Amino acid sequence: MRNEAEVPGVFMVPHQVDSTETDMFSRMRLSAFFRLLQKVSVLHCEALGAGREVTLDRGILWVVTMHHGEFTRMPDYEEKVIIETWPGKTMYSLFPRYYRMTDMGGRELAKVSSIWTHVDMKTREVVPPAESGISIDQVVTGKEVPLPAVPVSIPTESTVIYKVPYSNIDLNQHMNNSCYYDLAENESRPSREGRAVKTIDAMYSGELHLDDDVRISAGHEGNRYYISGEKEKRMFAISMVYHQV
């Protein structure tokens, strides 16, 4: 049983990890975790009156641009967890959002901060709140982690060309941010060995579309692994620090 008092303004969703979300070690994959955060974000925005009717149906898209995550552990197959989310203070056209994942006893498994923005569906330009009319009040819980920072690069050790497949494209007509974590873990030896991620910093600085050819570069220093993707410019970058064995 959870013994923490609920904080006003915090949106909570229970979830049980299923087999489609797990890796070969029966733990929740990072890509599945970040897809779950997207789902919970949508549900909360709908509850706040900032859902499809005032965004997608008006040609406005919610787009995540950065993540910072701190992980104690990932939940196991069939484990039940609680996802909490709440909005931070809007900064011009940037909408911070925070998350926590706990087990059913209230023990913290992960905490994440993110930066979201609005873009015009056709022009792909940022839509400021003054134009969209969308306003979301800040909630302060005292459990916020630092906002995301630009991932620090590491010299490249390997490079491959990745062609964006149909299965990576979402309703925003670009590669969904969760798919970058599958790319990152595919290129990361610790993930393949079953080691758990401790921290993540990610930045999505451009859109990747169907059949785009992307140069994927990867490298590591000690327990920190770095992966980035480039076309004409850097499109994304992810830094992952792993727990010690």
Side-chain angles (χ1 to χ4, degrees):
M1 295 291 294
R2 292 174 58 86
N3 55 17
E4 293 181 274
E6 295 185 11
V7 177
V10 173
F11 190 73
M12 303 172 65
V13 176
H15 180 75
Q16 183 170 5
V17 180
D18 67 38
S19 60
T20 65
E21 299 173 315
T22 59
D23 61 16
M24 62 188 289
F25 303 99
S26 297
R27 292 194 301 260
M28 191 177 203
R29 296 192 314 278
L30 286 172
S31 58
F33 172 73
F34 282 97
R35 277 195 294 274
L36 179 58
L37 297 193
Q38 291 176 44
K39 178 180 179 180
V40 173
S41 300
V42 169
L43 292 173
H44 193 203
C45 285
E46 290 174 348
L48 293 172
R52 174 173 180 165
E53 293 79 6
V54 297
T55 54
L56 188 62
D57 290 351
R58 295 172 55 212
I60 298 173
L61 304 176
W62 277 108
V63 177
V64 63
T65 63
M66 301 182 78
H67 277 128
H68 169 72
E70 301 177 8
F71 300 83
T72 302
R73 69 173 179 88
M74 296 298 283
D76 297 317
Y77 171 52
E78 292 191 332
E79 184 172 357
K80 295 179 180 179
V81 297
I82 298 290
I83 302 294
E84 303 174 352
T85 186
W86 62 98
K89 182 179 180 181
T90 301
M91 301 174 290
Y92 180 55
S93 298
L94 304 179
F95 295 82
R97 176 167 285 276
Y98 299 94
Y99 310 86
R100 288 178 77 232
M101 177 170 63
T102 67
D103 64 17
M104 299 307 290
R107 290 175 288 271
E108 187 174 83
L109 305 183
K111 48 190 177 182
V112 174
S113 64
S114 61
I115 300 291
W116 295 74
T117 192
H118 292 138
V119 300
D120 185 278
M121 184 185 300
K122 294 181 179 179
T123 68
R124 313 311 264 194
E125 297 293 328
V126 172
V127 180
E131 293 182 20
S132 69
I134 298 172
S135 176
I136 297 180
D137 294 334
Q138 176 186 19
V139 173
V140 177
T141 68
K143 299 174 182 177
E144 292 81 6
V145 293
L147 288 173
V150 175
V152 178
S153 64
I154 290 175
T156 298
E157 297 174 329
S158 63
T159 302
V160 298
I161 300 299
Y162 181 78
K163 183 179 286 291
V164 178
Y166 169 79
S167 60
N168 285 175
I169 305 300
D170 62 17
L171 60 77
N172 287 351
Q173 303 297 311
H174 62 204
M175 183 169 167
N176 188 270
N177 77 87
S178 65
C179 297
Y180 295 115
Y181 293 98
D182 283 331
L183 268 178
E185 292 206 286
N186 287 342
E187 297 298 321
S188 172
R189 187 177 70 251
S191 290
R192 299 160 69 94
E193 295 172 347
R195 291 173 56 190
V197 168
K198 182 178 181 180
T199 63
I200 283 176
D201 285 289
M203 178 176 66
Y204 321 104
S205 49
E207 293 184 281
L208 294 178
H209 301 101
L210 180 63
D211 290 333
D212 277 351
D213 288 324
V214 189
R215 185 171 68 257
I216 305 297
S217 301
H220 85 286
E221 291 178 347
N223 288 321
R224 188 167 76 88
Y225 283 69
Y226 176 86
I227 183 171
S228 64
E230 294 185 1
K231 285 201 314 178
E232 298 83 7
K233 65 173 185 176
R234 185 170 63 177
M235 308 300 284
F236 76 91
I238 298 176
S239 173
M240 302 189 299
V241 177
Y242 286 82
H243 284 284
Q244 296 281 0
V245 177

